[in-house]
Amino acid sequence: MKKLICLFLALLLCTIGAIAAFGGKTTEKNYIKYVEFNVTQEALQSAVDYDIDAYEKGKKLSFIDILAYLGAKYGGDFKKYKSKDMSSFVEEVNNGASIKEITKDMKYFSYYQKAYGAVLNGMVGEYSAGNGDSKEKHYGIRWYCPIAKTFPYTGYDDFGAKRTFGYSRPHLGHDMMAATGTPVIAVESGKVECMGWNRYGGWRIGIRSNDSQRYWYYAHLRQNRPYAENLKEGDEVKAGQVIGYVGRTGYSDTENTNNIEESHLHIGLELVFDESQKESDNEIWVNLFALTNVLDPYRSEVVRNSETKEFKSVNQKIYE
């Protein structure tokens, strides 16, 4: 009997946690506690294209709403993705149907809207580019690839791959293989939340987005001179700004050690719906492979100061 009571209580607690994760009301704080971001590169790019096309025609259609609709339709499994499902949804909206009307029978649309929004909010929108009085207004992708323009890199979908240094664990990021000294670029604007040495990531930088929901983690930076000149914790950085340099530091308790076999940037994205999730056993890290591929054409142009040997970004996109 005691075993049955314990099992019942365990199931009850799991149910309460699941309800909270999907936006239900409980006695716990109501915030999302689990997200899988399995949107494919094709689906993400197509949704962005529809968003931009709508704007150019004087209409409004959020690429996040498009993806949330498909997420609800597929149960988050984008292996089921079919382009006709997206185009049909877009056609309904263009014909005057409201998002609320289309999704009224989708129990978890709101969940996916919030979850995918946490990953992608601010990626697409208005911005200005240029110098001085010549700045022009644009609408489109406002974020940048983490690797500077003209610098080569390679990568593959390695999220969840096994890592064994310290202890056996899944790889909660995306590795972009590039030469030591390659400038690392801030994907979006935000505040430097942490800098310094970590036994796993080596020299690393953590940047929190301005809406506080995204924590970007850039690791294995260059030995001796890992960071952009004068960068420090608490600084505000802009999307496209040089923040550091690719290296192979880490996997060591000894600071400033090159124990990574091949130079690369480890970039990770943690979602934060509640501050209790930071530095906890309930952190939410998402797969960035599709996103970095979509951002690849958006490379920040940099110039090198021959005296300081530092790189600086030019013609950054500006937005509020």
Side-chain angles (χ1 to χ4, degrees):
M1 178 63 71
K2 287 184 178 179
K3 288 184 178 179
L4 288 173
I5 292 173
C6 290
L7 178 59
F8 172 78
L9 290 174
L11 290 171
L12 179 61
L13 288 173
C14 289
T15 301
I16 291 172
I19 292 171
F22 287 94
K25 293 182 179 180
T26 74
T27 55
E28 297 181 9
K29 289 184 70 175
N30 185 19
Y31 57 86
I32 291 176
K33 298 173 183 174
Y34 181 77
V35 174
E36 278 190 354
F37 186 69
N38 295 320
V39 176
T40 63
Q41 178 182 347
E42 179 188 1
L44 178 55
Q45 184 64 68
S46 295
V48 168
D49 290 343
Y50 276 122
D51 185 316
I52 295 171
D53 181 66
Y55 177 89
E56 292 174 347
K57 293 177 179 177
K59 299 180 180 180
K60 187 175 182 180
L61 177 61
S62 167
F63 77 108
I64 294 173
D65 285 346
I66 297 172
L67 295 175
Y69 166 81
L70 295 176
K73 182 178 180 67
Y74 302 145
D77 183 4
F78 271 77
K79 290 179 182 177
K80 301 176 182 178
Y81 172 68
K82 296 178 182 178
S83 60
K84 67 179 182 180
D85 291 335
M86 183 181 293
S87 61
S88 295
F89 172 78
V90 172
E91 185 177 1
E92 281 192 77
V93 175
N94 287 338
N95 287 336
S98 69
I99 303 292
K100 185 176 181 180
E101 179 184 356
I102 298 172
T103 63
K104 65 176 187 254
D105 296 323
M106 289 183 155
K107 186 176 181 181
Y108 296 123
F109 172 76
S110 177
Y111 163 78
Y112 284 106
Q113 191 179 43
K114 292 174 184 176
Y116 292 170
V119 180
L120 301 167
N121 279 331
M123 175 182 162
V124 174
E126 294 180 335
Y127 65 90
S128 58
N131 294 310
D133 296 331
S134 63
K135 291 177 183 176
E136 297 178 356
K137 294 290 184 181
H138 301 272
Y139 184 91
I141 290 182
R142 308 195 295 182
W143 292 358
Y144 285 87
C145 173
I147 300 294
K149 188 175 182 178
T150 74
F151 288 84
Y153 74 90
T154 59
Y156 61 96
D157 189 356
D158 54 349
F159 187 83
K162 187 177 181 180
R163 295 292 186 267
T164 57
F165 176 78
Y167 63 99
S168 181
R169 64 196 187 282
H171 183 232
L172 299 177
H174 175 46
D175 288 344
M176 305 178 78
M177 319 310 288
T180 295
T182 297
V184 176
I185 302 300
V187 173
E188 70 166 317
S189 300
K191 179 181 286 188
V192 178
E193 198 164 84
C194 81
M195 293 174 69
W197 182 262
N198 176 282
R199 71 190 300 252
Y200 302 104
W203 293 124
R204 89 285 193 226
I205 302 175
I207 297 177
R208 185 75 77 96
S209 63
N210 290 328
D211 66 4
S212 297
Q213 286 204 305
R214 287 171 299 288
Y215 175 76
W216 298 92
Y217 180 74
Y218 307 80
H220 304 314
L221 303 181
R222 183 174 62 182
Q223 190 180 49
N224 299 320
R225 295 177 63 195
Y227 307 120
E229 192 174 30
N230 299 322
L231 189 68
K232 62 185 183 302
E233 285 188 20
D235 282 355
E236 299 283 347
V237 298
K238 298 294 185 183
Q241 180 178 330
V242 176
I243 56 174
Y245 300 94
V246 171
R248 54 188 186 90
T249 59
Y251 282 21
S252 174
D253 290 320
T254 303
E255 190 173 287
N256 204 35
T257 302
N258 278 335
N259 262 6
I260 301 295
E261 292 183 0
E262 188 173 355
S263 297
H264 68 275
L265 170 68
H266 168 104
I267 182 168
L269 176 57
E270 180 186 2
L271 304 184
V272 184
F273 296 95
D274 185 85
E275 288 304 311
S276 65
Q277 294 173 306
K278 289 283 282 126
E279 307 293 334
S280 75
D281 294 330
N282 301 306
E283 296 175 353
I284 303 173
W285 296 87
V286 296
N287 191 339
L288 289 176
F289 183 67
L291 178 58
T292 53
N293 283 340
V294 170
L295 293 178
D296 177 71
Y298 304 90
R299 311 279 294 276
S300 181
E301 183 180 353
V302 297
V303 293
R304 183 173 182 267
N305 185 315
S306 59
E307 294 183 2
T308 65
K309 298 181 174 56
E310 293 283 337
F311 283 90
K312 184 177 180 180
S313 304
V314 296
N315 295 328
Q316 289 172 238
K317 298 171 183 176
I318 300 171
Y319 56 90
E320 295 299 326

